[in-house]
Amino acid sequence: MFENRRRGKDLAKVIGYFYLLLAIFFIIALFIIPEYTTLLLISIAFYFIMFLVLYFITTKYDNDSVTWIIIAVTGFLVFIWTLNILGAGLFILSLVAANDIRKELV
């Protein structure tokens, strides 16, 4: 059933693109709802930083023994930041990507 799913760094890169998409949605929300400017700017910065971390760790960094830990930590940070179903789903996806990278080390 899951034979053709994305694995490891590729899955982490897709999660990073999702963080970028969330940052873009918050930018759009900033123009629609200007009353929550501070909260939306903090959320934009947070998700953009998470995107940059995941993108650069999966494309430029070759040490996989540290990569899987960083991916798991970023997933945990997003879960703590959001505390909702979306954050839990991204956390689980991050753990799956980190586990795939960890399994490839052996």
Side-chain angles (χ1 to χ4, degrees), residues 13 46 48-49 55 87-88 95 102:
K13 198 181 304 182
F46 177 75
F48 191 70
I49 290 170
Y55 183 76
L95 287 180
R102 187 186 58 82

Side-chain angles (χ1 to χ4, degrees), residues 12-25:
K13 198 181 304 182
V14 170
I15 296 168
Y17 287 135
F18 187 75
Y19 291 153
L20 181 64
L21 183 68
L22 283 174
I24 291 170
F25 284 149

Side-chain angles (χ1 to χ4, degrees), residues 19 30 34 58 87 96:
Y19 291 153
L30 183 67
T58 56
V96 169

Side-chain angles (χ1 to χ4, degrees), residues 5-90:
R5 70 173 177 85
R6 295 180 181 267
R7 301 212 182 258
K9 285 188 174 184
D10 191 35
L11 178 60
K13 198 181 304 182
V14 170
I15 296 168
Y17 287 135
F18 187 75
Y19 291 153
L20 181 64
L21 183 68
L22 283 174
I24 291 170
F25 284 149
F26 279 116
I27 290 171
I28 293 168
L30 183 67
F31 291 116
I32 295 172
I33 311 168
E35 296 89 31
Y36 299 108
T37 303
T38 307
L39 179 65
L40 291 173
L41 286 175
I42 292 170
S43 294
I44 291 167
F46 177 75
Y47 285 118
F48 191 70
I49 290 170
M50 289 296 121
F51 162 70
L52 289 177
V53 167
L54 281 182
Y55 183 76
F56 285 120
I57 201 77
T58 56
T59 58
K60 308 286 185 202
Y61 195 66
D62 291 332
N63 188 0
D64 287 343
S65 63
V66 177
T67 303
W68 72 272
I69 296 170
I70 294 173
I71 292 172
V73 167
T74 57
F76 180 71
L77 288 175
V78 169
F79 176 65
I80 294 299
W81 179 264
T82 59
L83 288 177
N84 60 20
I85 294 293
L86 179 65
L90 290 171

